[in-house]
Amino acid sequence: MASLFKIPLTQLDKIGSKKAEQFSKLGIGSIGALLRFYPRTYEDWSRPCKIAEAPRCENVCIRGTVESAKPPARIRGNMTIFRVTVTDGDSRMTVTFFNQKYTYDRIKSGGDFIFYGMLKASAHDYEMASPQVEEPSMAAIRPIYQQTAELSSRQIEKAVRQAVAMLPEKTNDPIPQHIREEFGLCDLGFAIKNIHFPSDHNACELARKRLVFEELFVLQLGVGLRSSDRLNVTPQNITADYTKEFLSLLPYKPTNAQQRVIGQCITDMKSTCRPMNRLIQGDVGSGKTAVAAAICHTAAKNGLQCAFMVPTEILAEQHFQSLSGLFAGTGLNIALLTGSTKQAAKKQILSGLKSGSIDIVIGTHALISDNVEFSRLGLVITDEQHRFGVAQRAALNSKGRYPHIIVMSATPIPRTLALMIFGDLDLSVIDEMPPGRKPTDTYLIDSEKRSRLYGFIRKHITNGNQCYIVCPLVEQNDSELVSAEEYAERLDKTVLSDCRIGILHGRMKPAEKDRIMSAFAAGEIDILVSTTVIEVGVNVPNATIMVIENAERFGLSQLHQLRGRVGRGSDKAYCIMVSDASSQATLERLKVMCSTNNGFTIADEDLRLRGPGDFFGTRQHGLPELRTAKLTDMVSVEAAREAAQKLLANDPELSQREHAPLKFEVARLFNNTGGA
Ligand code: ADP
Ligand code: MG
């Protein structure tokens, strides 16, 4: 397998240098990397169901015969529409296509097809809009890949199909045979073939089980190799505690929990035995930023350079503002570095970091890039850790000589998993909210109540408060969803036309996002219609209403994060989830939100309702290289950890010859920030 990482994609049919360039944007630079680019999910075309029995609100696969087709008619502008009636022998459905003359030509003469899409039922009919259509021979489990604007999942699928054919008969398996036997794992060749093109559900599950194990195993080996490193170093220990001075800068009194956690970190940094490695968990709004600020303050006063990494520019900007404010007059030099920092300013910051004149830098992924060098990096804090990968954090940590490490998380991570991800680490919990917080009242409504909702919003805006409205990301085939732009336009033209409405979405330029966010923070915007870009960290205490449209589209932890954007000040806050979902499971999930504000309870419920598999699948773990969509169970985590420890006990440096493929995988995981 390792040799396939040396073969460029241009070896494949129909892939020239331009296409190869598009693949490289996904971090795929070789045949090997392509094979390791696992599907995000699958579409099950293998088991078509009956029209009358098909579930609602999710994509389904229906096999049927085209009975009648009306030719495309123009409806407006260049848009054409045509409808066909399809029968499965028992029931009929009407299928509508827009702008798809070629599909019409394909299916007008009748015949058998598979239709893959969302089925809606009205009083007398079943309807499907813009499904994908294939011949019955395509009835298989089909891979869906993460796509880009230039590269569709289907194009990736074609390339992968060729790459799979290039796999040697016998692959050099990184997992030693005795471990595979012990844990009942299939070999690498089978796994790669079946993760992309599963012959059936069982094969897919086997492949996934093995790849998950492999990833955890390799990860644990890497973490193990590193932490044994860290045990034998002299830490950059500090001698003085400046917490008291810091507290005099803080405009409020810290909670006991905040003080305790600050104390734990300072004790860690004073230790002469080993560098700090600590996970701080605290529910949304528990005040993690102030804790991070206190630790940076003391570390910097002791001469350590500090890096504070956050996942979005909005959040970086906001932390920078609040820390700059706090530290004005302390003599500490603080800088902000993001992807949109202007060239001239950037040059200055890079030189300041290298010379050591900058004490604290706050930034996004930009902090990881090669040209960022520090003179004496001694503390690395990662906020919202689940947004980063192991490799990304490792890249930042490696810019200093065994710096102290803090990762912060709003989601409780099971202890075993935390050990897997972070190595041997200590845990602090901020288990107390700042005083005066009132729980956010949460309601679930359906779209019929929307006009009342708008009245409610207006009332609060008249009172001087602000409101977020979150719409899910619009993906292809989501014909029922409205984009944030359209939504905002609707509000603006109709019911809430007298309010100041702003839009925020992921495709906007960072500078533009900042402008909108600052305007919202300054109270110049009443209603911010946005995608989930505001999910993490953003802090505008005057915003008191969070509306979440199509709430069924979000996982519990994500809903909790979104709700955490309000209820940050002393005013009573409300979260209103709008959903027309009818599935019992979905309703149960959403109702959990109405019954509690406690993030830990919610995470537990999330785990209970969806099973640990999905929990890991939602990227709460910070393992982006874990490309296998979900983790089957906790047992894998512990098994992989145990197996890795055993192996390292035997071969602490992975220097034995038969472990060469393993060493290759460890290097691949830890050296790549992108995961190629
Ligand atoms: P999170 O833990 O979600 O990162 P933040 O650090 O953003 O939370 O803090 C949320 C809000 O609570 C901020 O407005 C912050 O100023 C405020 N805050 C934090 N600690 C306290 C405290 N001890 N007393 C009062 N307000 C606080
Ligand atoms: Mg935060």
Side-chain angles (χ1 to χ4, degrees):
M1 187 87 190
S3 60
L4 291 178
F5 281 84
K6 297 202 186 83
I7 307 180
L9 286 182
T10 43
Q11 291 285 308
L12 299 177
D13 209 22
K14 298 220 176 98
I15 295 193
S17 56
K18 191 163 156 233
K19 266 270 160 287
E21 179 60 33
Q22 296 171 354
F23 273 96
S24 74
K25 286 190 191 146
L26 284 168
I28 306 172
S30 64
I31 302 289
L34 180 62
L35 289 169
R36 287 292 195 176
F37 188 77
Y38 308 140
R40 187 168 58 78
T41 180
Y42 301 89
E43 280 174 4
D44 191 353
W45 294 58
S46 73
R47 295 188 286 201
C49 49
K50 287 283 190 185
I51 293 172
E53 287 156 18
R56 301 294 128 73
C57 291
E58 61 185 79
N59 283 319
V60 295
C61 180
I62 306 266
R63 182 173 172 172
T65 312
V66 175
E67 280 191 334
S68 64
K70 290 195 198 107
R74 195 172 295 273
I75 45 174
R76 74 179 108 91
N78 280 329
M79 190 182 274
T80 62
I81 181 173
F82 78 91
R83 291 201 172 86
V84 300
T85 310
V86 171
T87 171
D88 67 4
D90 296 323
S91 336
R92 288 195 171 78
M93 66 176 178
T94 307
V95 184
T96 313
F97 295 91
F98 300 93
N99 291 341
Q100 289 191 34
K101 176 138 185 3
Y102 53 93
T103 308
Y104 178 74
D105 293 337
R106 234 171 97 207
I107 68 175
K108 64 182 172 194
S109 51
D112 242 14
F113 293 95
I114 306 181
F115 299 84
Y116 188 90
M118 200 95 77
L119 191 68
K120 278 212 273 190
S122 62
H124 359 256
D125 198 12
Y126 294 99
E127 286 172 44
M128 205 181 242
S130 310
Q132 301 178 60
V133 186
E134 296 279 5
E135 311 284 327
S137 64
M138 287 303 288
I141 301 169
R142 306 185 67 185
I144 302 296
Y145 297 92
Q146 177 200 339
Q147 47 191 11
T148 62
E150 301 149 321
L151 216 49
S152 73
S153 171
R154 291 292 182 238
Q155 284 173 306
I156 299 171
E157 180 182 344
K158 279 191 189 132
V160 175
R161 213 175 272 282
Q162 294 182 57
V164 165
M166 291 169 74
L167 270 177
E169 188 66 34
K170 242 184 100 41
T171 47
N172 212 345
D173 200 320
I175 307 186
Q177 190 175 348
H178 69 271
I179 297 185
R180 268 184 285 142
E181 279 168 10
E182 183 181 344
F183 295 99
L185 305 171
C186 67
D187 69 51
L188 180 63
F190 179 92
I192 295 279
K193 276 182 208 146
N194 283 282
I195 199 73
H196 292 290
F197 305 108
S199 51
D200 54 41
H201 285 271
N202 193 27
C204 186
E205 214 30 66
L206 275 177
R208 171 181 286 146
K209 179 178 166 204
R210 182 235 139 87
L211 293 171
V212 167
F213 184 94
E214 178 183 318
E215 284 179 308
L216 293 172
F217 182 57
V218 167
L219 172 68
Q220 190 54 56
L221 285 170
V223 170
L225 284 171
R226 263 148 209 268
S227 52
S228 64
D229 249 25
R230 286 175 63 88
L231 288 181
N232 307 318
V233 300
T234 324
Q236 308 187 47
N237 66 304
I238 61 166
T239 47
D241 179 354
Y242 292 88
T243 309
K244 241 188 160 154
E245 187 183 316
F246 174 80
L247 295 184
S248 70
L249 304 170
L250 208 60
Y252 43 76
K253 196 175 164 306
T255 61
N256 290 331
Q258 283 171 317
Q259 286 208 53
R260 185 185 68 240
V261 173
I262 294 169
Q264 288 168 334
C265 295
I266 304 256
T267 308
D268 282 358
M269 290 196 292
K270 280 185 173 170
S271 156
T272 51
C273 299
R274 57 179 180 143
M276 162 164 69
N277 190 22
R278 190 170 278 277
L279 166 63
I280 299 180
Q281 289 182 348
D283 202 351
V284 188
S286 61
K288 292 185 288 295
T289 319
V291 170
I295 300 159
C296 283
H297 176 261
T298 283
K301 284 272 182 187
N302 277 276
L304 304 184
Q305 245 179 334
C306 310
F308 191 176
M309 183 162 71
V310 304
T312 64
E313 299 207 354
I314 295 174
L315 198 52
E317 172 76 28
Q318 188 182 291
H319 282 3
F320 175 71
Q321 296 298 350
S322 58
L323 265 64
S324 307
L326 275 179
F327 295 158
T330 58
L332 292 176
N333 191 3
I334 170 166
L336 172 70
L337 184 68
T338 70
S340 51
T341 305
K342 294 258 164 30
Q343 210 50 33
K346 186 170 166 189
K347 219 168 135 196
Q348 232 174 6
I349 293 169
L350 291 182
S351 101
L353 288 172
K354 194 168 175 184
S355 73
S357 65
I358 293 174
D359 302 298
I360 301 171
V361 64
I362 297 173
T364 54
H365 301 79
L367 291 174
I368 310 174
S369 43
D370 282 341
N371 56 6
V372 180
E373 290 174 61
F374 292 83
S375 100
R376 50 193 164 82
L377 180 62
L379 170 67
V380 173
I381 303 183
T382 314
D383 196 7
E384 310 289 349
Q385 66 79 27
H386 65 283
R387 290 301 189 96
F388 294 96
V390 179
Q392 289 174 319
R393 281 196 315 268
L396 183 54
N397 296 341
S398 70
K399 290 182 186 284
R401 190 187 60 79
Y402 301 105
H404 298 290
I405 295 170
I406 289 181
V407 288
M408 302 202 303
S409 165
T411 319
I413 306 167
R415 170 92 188 148
T416 340
L417 190 64
L419 285 171
M420 276 307 293
I421 303 171
F422 309 108
D424 226 344
L425 90 174
D426 300 300
L427 176 67
S428 292
V429 184
I430 311 180
D431 50 5
E432 186 185 347
M433 283 289 175
R437 293 278 169 81
K438 304 182 186 92
T440 299
D441 282 355
T442 304
Y443 302 97
L444 175 61
I445 63 170
D446 58 28
S447 48
E448 281 180 9
K449 300 223 177 63
R450 208 178 260 124
S451 56
R452 279 177 62 189
L453 168 64
Y454 292 147
F456 183 74
I457 293 175
R458 182 195 305 278
K459 197 176 104 205
H460 282 261
I461 287 175
T462 316
N463 281 341
N465 286 117
Q466 291 159 282
C467 168
Y468 294 101
I469 300 181
V470 174
C471 307
L473 254 190
V474 178
E475 287 182 37
Q476 278 178 351
N477 300 331
D478 275 346
S479 48
E480 326 197 337
L481 294 188
V482 191
S483 72
E485 284 121 314
E486 284 174 76
Y487 192 101
E489 205 171 298
R490 247 188 240 174
L491 288 187
D492 201 27
K493 288 221 177 91
T494 54
V495 277
L496 292 165
S497 56
D498 49 340
C499 300
R500 295 164 301 172
I501 298 173
I503 309 179
L504 195 70
H505 58 73
R507 274 170 289 123
M508 283 160 68
K509 293 235 169 59
E512 176 74 350
K513 279 192 226 167
D514 280 350
R515 198 179 60 71
I516 298 285
M517 212 49 228
S518 319
F520 187 65
E524 290 154 17
I525 290 175
D526 301 315
I527 302 178
L528 187 63
V529 180
S530 118
T531 55
T532 52
V533 286
I534 54 124
E535 172 194 348
V536 295
V538 171
N539 188 36
V540 179
N542 189 49
T544 51
I545 300 182
M546 166 61 70
V547 176
I548 306 172
E549 289 283 347
N550 293 95
E552 75 282 353
R553 297 259 164 163
F554 300 100
L556 271 182
S557 296
Q558 205 179 8
L559 288 169
H560 182 62
Q561 274 282 343
L562 286 170
R563 176 171 62 183
R565 298 311 111 221
V566 298
R568 303 192 139 239
S570 47
D571 290 339
K572 175 92 191 146
Y574 303 87
C575 171
I576 293 126
M577 301 181 292
V578 186
S579 175
D580 291 325
S582 55
S583 128
Q584 212 39 51
T586 306
L587 290 176
E588 191 186 339
R589 183 158 56 90
L590 295 178
K591 281 187 184 141
V592 172
M593 290 293 296
C594 305
S595 67
T596 179
N597 269 277
N598 183 321
F600 285 42
T601 314
I602 287 173
D604 278 351
E605 276 297 302
D606 209 11
L607 211 67
R608 189 182 67 77
L609 289 174
R610 307 199 292 168
D614 252 21
F615 183 74
F616 295 112
T618 51
R619 294 198 51 185
Q620 296 299 334
H621 45 52
L623 301 175
E625 286 82 5
L626 238 176
R627 293 222 168 96
T628 32
K630 62 174 186 180
L631 209 131
T632 30
D633 57 15
M634 264 321 258
V635 180
S636 305
V637 181
E638 292 181 33
R641 181 172 162 78
E642 218 179 276
Q645 278 171 344
K646 234 194 256 171
L647 193 114
L648 282 181
N650 251 322
D651 183 8
E653 314 254 291
L654 291 186
S655 48
Q656 290 168 20
R657 235 185 101 213
E658 71 261 33
H659 294 151
L662 256 184
K663 202 165 180 174
F664 174 80
E665 291 300 328
V666 173
R668 205 164 64 78
L669 178 67
F670 280 87
N671 293 342
N672 286 326
T673 36

